[in-house]
Every structure is written in structure tokens, then in C-alpha cells.
Amino acid sequence: MTDAPLNRPPVTAAILVIGDEILSGRTKDKNIGYIAEYLTNIGIELRQVRVVPDSLDEIVSAVNALRSRYTYVFTTGGIGPTHDDITADSVAAAFGVPINVDPRAVAMLSERFPPDQLNEARMRMARIPEGGELIANSVSKAPGFIIANVIVMAGVPAIMQAMLDVVGPTLKTGTRILSDTVRAGLREGDIGTALGEIAQAHPQVAIGSYPFWSETGPDTNVVVRSRDPEKLDQAMAAVKQMIEHERARLRR
């Protein structure tokens, strides 16, 4: 993939995680980090993540809020065969369109299940909002779908990843955000003021400090991010110079 011009508007995204089991802590989400890294690598900026319960009103409200604000909305969870899998119905309600059994989805399910096993529960997974385009699922065959800028995927990580592999190459992308990291060998409080001054001097670069506990005690990683490699290098040079100065000052 060729990076987009630096002045192109960013392509943005939000993730909507759906499921009571996530909110209760019974299931630990494994999809957010995977999707975030995937999007970053193709030049899409993840701007927000929301987690909502299996509630039609909550899902509708979140879908409508996010799809009007971001280029893409990725949902995970709630498209299985049980009564509490209501994501497809909720997305249909958000768009104000009917939802029905889609013959294309039935054909996909039929690749795995013989006719006598396509029971009422499994047929729920063939219900697609009107206008939805199907997302193939090489793992379990039950499809996800895309309607406008909302991409509806499974919650099971292996299935979600298979769906994202199908969708990813079709997405509009922007310029990738580049990043560089330096270990300061100092506490965050030692460099906080100077780091803020560098951030002010380099407004087109994002600078973050991330404290951690190392084998020698408290330490800090400083991460610099930018779409422009030249600005990234300039800011990182300033950060490294500042770190050396602070180390020397504290050794006195």
C-alpha cells in the first residue's frame, strides 16, 4: 500500500463492542487491540471505543452517534444464533431499514450445515438488514455485513479476524502515523515540564510519556508520533537532547 499525501484528511474509525458479557467482566475483550493495530498499520486512525450492553436502544444510540462522526464504525459481538444476539436488528433499526433472511447468507451457511441442521437458531445468523453487503466468514461461514459505513463483525476473535481480513483491503485509507520510542532512564516527573515545552514547539507531532517499572526502578518511555517523517525526526531529536540534559543535571 502506498501512503497517502500528507495533506489528505485523516480516515477515522470507532469500535463499538457489544455484549453484556464484556461489561460484566465474564469475557475479556481481545478484539480492540487487534483492530486498533490493524487500522494503524493501514492508515486509519482509531478515535474512539465504546462498550454497550445487549440493549437495542443502547446499540442504536451508539451506532448513530458514531457513524455520523467517523469514517468507519466497526462493531463486534451480538451476531450469533441466540436470543440475546440483537446486533443485526439494532443496526437495522439505527438505519431505519427492514431486516430479513438473506438468501446469500443462507447459501453461505449451507456450506457448513446440511438443510436439516439449519434450524431456527442458526437461521437468525442469516438475517441481514436491507442494503447490507455480506462479509465472508471462512471460519464458521455465518457472515458479517456492511451497511453504509458500519462494519458488523463477530465477537469471537478468530472469526472477527477472518472478517477483518476480508474487509481491510476494501477500506479507504489515509497516511500512516509513524512512531518512534526512546527509553528515558528517568522518572516521568523528571521530564514532564521539558517534554511539555517540546510538545508546544512541535504542534504537528503527538508526544506521549508512559511510565513503567524496570529492573532498575521507575522509568519512562517517550513516544513520538507523526504522519510527517521529517517532523517526527525533528521532535525525536529534541526529546533525546532533552533527556540527555536532564540526566546530566540530575547526576550533578
Side-chain angles (χ1 to χ4, degrees), residues 12-16 35 39 44-50 66-67 70-75:
T12 61
I15 298 173
L16 180 61
I35 298 171
L39 297 181
I44 297 176
E45 293 184 31
L46 180 62
R47 294 281 183 84
Q48 188 173 156
V49 176
R50 291 194 191 185
L66 296 172
R67 72 185 177 96
Y70 301 109
T71 312
Y72 297 112
V73 178
F74 297 84
T75 80

Side-chain angles (χ1 to χ4, degrees), residues 15-19 22 29 31-32 49-53 74-77:
I15 298 173
L16 180 61
V17 181
I18 299 165
I22 300 294
D29 180 85
N31 292 326
I32 294 172
V49 176
R50 291 194 191 185
V51 184
V52 296
F74 297 84
T75 80
T76 65

Side-chain angles (χ1 to χ4, degrees), residues 41-106:
N41 287 337
I42 64 172
I44 297 176
E45 293 184 31
L46 180 62
R47 294 281 183 84
Q48 188 173 156
V49 176
R50 291 194 191 185
V51 184
V52 296
D54 296 308
S55 159
L56 188 143
D57 289 342
E58 294 271 12
I59 298 169
V60 169
S61 176
V63 166
N64 282 333
L66 296 172
R67 72 185 177 96
S68 66
R69 186 171 180 182
Y70 301 109
T71 312
Y72 297 112
V73 178
F74 297 84
T75 80
T76 65
I79 59 171
T82 60
H83 70 282
D84 58 346
D85 288 311
I86 60 169
T87 297
D89 296 88
S90 302
V91 171
F95 280 90
V97 298
I99 181 170
N100 293 294
V101 171
D102 189 312
R104 299 170 301 168
V106 175

Side-chain angles (χ1 to χ4, degrees), residues 108-129:
M108 288 181 174
L109 287 170
S110 297
E111 294 177 16
R112 182 178 184 191
F113 301 104
D116 63 329
Q117 292 184 24
L118 280 178
N119 55 27
E120 182 179 351
R122 290 190 175 110
M123 287 297 286
R124 284 179 56 82
M125 298 188 292
R127 298 171 66 249
I128 306 295

Side-chain angles (χ1 to χ4, degrees), residues 178-182 195 205-210 220-225 232 236 239:
L178 308 173
S179 70
D180 197 3
T181 303
V182 60
L195 201 60
V205 176
I207 300 175
S209 61
Y210 304 93
T220 310
N221 281 327
V222 178
V223 180
V224 179
R225 299 182 178 90
L232 177 73
M236 179 53 81
V239 168

